[in-house]
Amino acid sequence: MATAQKTKIKDQLIELSIPTADGNFTAHYSGQGLVALGFPAQKSNRVLSTNPKTSVQILRWHRATANALKQSLAGRTAKELPPLDWSGRTDFQQSVWREMLKITAGKTRSYGEIAEQIGKPKAVRAVGGACGANPIPVLVPCHRILAANKKLGGFSGGLDWKRRLLGREGIVV
């Protein structure tokens, strides 16, 4: 009974908007940190809490998220991120996302390079899958991952967003 109750509480997320010149992004927080970041006009498939008694800690994380997002949208590397809640995600996905966090603005890597860097050189397609499953795009910069021969590959926010983000970092693909 206690486990079911913990799961229910853990699954409750706080949804807060981040207005930018590019539209309103939606940040989703658990008690552990930032769980997801949605592009403007994207719909969430989770039931979210918009509890007016949002904790001071989550509001602090939200300010950090908003600042990091604005830096990233301006083509710069975010200086500080809130805690990222990747609970329920695989170790492999998390290793790919940690590696992506090392890529600074204006730089790119290929799926193959990421696979090499995490010690799984044959897992190129799985790296692509982890990039596609990234719940925190822009801040965990999957837009900086390119397919072989510097081709765009895919992007959860759509290729227009990928081109826009890379362009702001001075990368033309």
Side-chain angles (χ1 to χ4, degrees), residues 13-76:
L13 299 179
I14 303 296
E15 175 184 61
L16 298 171
S17 181
I18 303 174
T20 73
D22 293 298
N24 290 334
F25 284 74
T26 306
H28 310 269
Y29 300 93
S30 71
Q32 311 307 308
L34 180 64
V35 173
L37 184 65
F39 284 93
Q42 272 190 338
K43 301 274 188 225
S44 171
N45 61 357
R46 294 190 67 158
V47 175
L48 301 167
S49 168
T50 52
N51 184 345
K53 294 183 180 183
T54 302
S55 76
V56 171
Q57 181 178 44
I58 288 179
L59 291 175
R60 234 181 291 126
W61 295 342
H62 189 62
R63 278 190 297 277
T65 301
N67 289 335
L69 180 61
K70 288 174 183 169
Q71 291 166 353
S72 296
L73 290 173
R76 298 187 307 269

Side-chain angles (χ1 to χ4, degrees), residues 34 61 64-65 68-69 72 78-84 101 136 139-141:
L34 180 64
W61 295 342
T65 301
L69 180 61
S72 296
K79 292 182 178 148
E80 181 183 341
L81 295 176
L84 305 177
L101 285 169
I136 309 172
L139 299 185
V140 178

Side-chain angles (χ1 to χ4, degrees), residues 2-166:
T3 304
Q5 190 174 18
K6 274 185 190 176
T7 302
K8 187 173 184 179
I9 292 167
K10 186 179 176 196
D11 286 344
Q12 184 177 17
L13 299 179
I14 303 296
E15 175 184 61
L16 298 171
S17 181
I18 303 174
T20 73
D22 293 298
N24 290 334
F25 284 74
T26 306
H28 310 269
Y29 300 93
S30 71
Q32 311 307 308
L34 180 64
V35 173
L37 184 65
F39 284 93
Q42 272 190 338
K43 301 274 188 225
S44 171
N45 61 357
R46 294 190 67 158
V47 175
L48 301 167
S49 168
T50 52
N51 184 345
K53 294 183 180 183
T54 302
S55 76
V56 171
Q57 181 178 44
I58 288 179
L59 291 175
R60 234 181 291 126
W61 295 342
H62 189 62
R63 278 190 297 277
T65 301
N67 289 335
L69 180 61
K70 288 174 183 169
Q71 291 166 353
S72 296
L73 290 173
R76 298 187 307 269
T77 301
K79 292 182 178 148
E80 181 183 341
L81 295 176
L84 305 177
D85 181 0
W86 289 332
S87 57
R89 306 302 181 136
T90 69
D91 290 342
F92 180 83
Q93 289 172 324
Q94 291 181 45
S95 69
V96 170
W97 301 335
R98 278 191 299 276
E99 196 60 39
M100 286 192 297
L101 285 169
K102 296 176 185 177
I103 307 167
T104 58
K107 306 286 184 195
T108 63
R109 300 285 181 274
S110 69
Y111 297 114
E113 288 172 318
I114 296 294
E116 287 280 343
Q117 290 166 336
I118 64 168
K120 305 276 186 186
K122 294 184 180 186
V124 175
R125 290 177 64 107
V127 166
C131 288
N134 175 13
I136 309 172
V138 184
L139 299 185
V140 178
C142 51
H143 63 280
R144 296 181 187 143
I145 310 300
L146 302 175
N149 301 318
K150 300 287 183 188
K151 295 190 181 194
L152 277 180
F155 188 60
S156 62
L159 293 182
D160 287 341
W161 265 108
K162 187 168 187 167
R163 281 187 200 92
R164 185 183 315 175
L165 293 167
L166 289 172

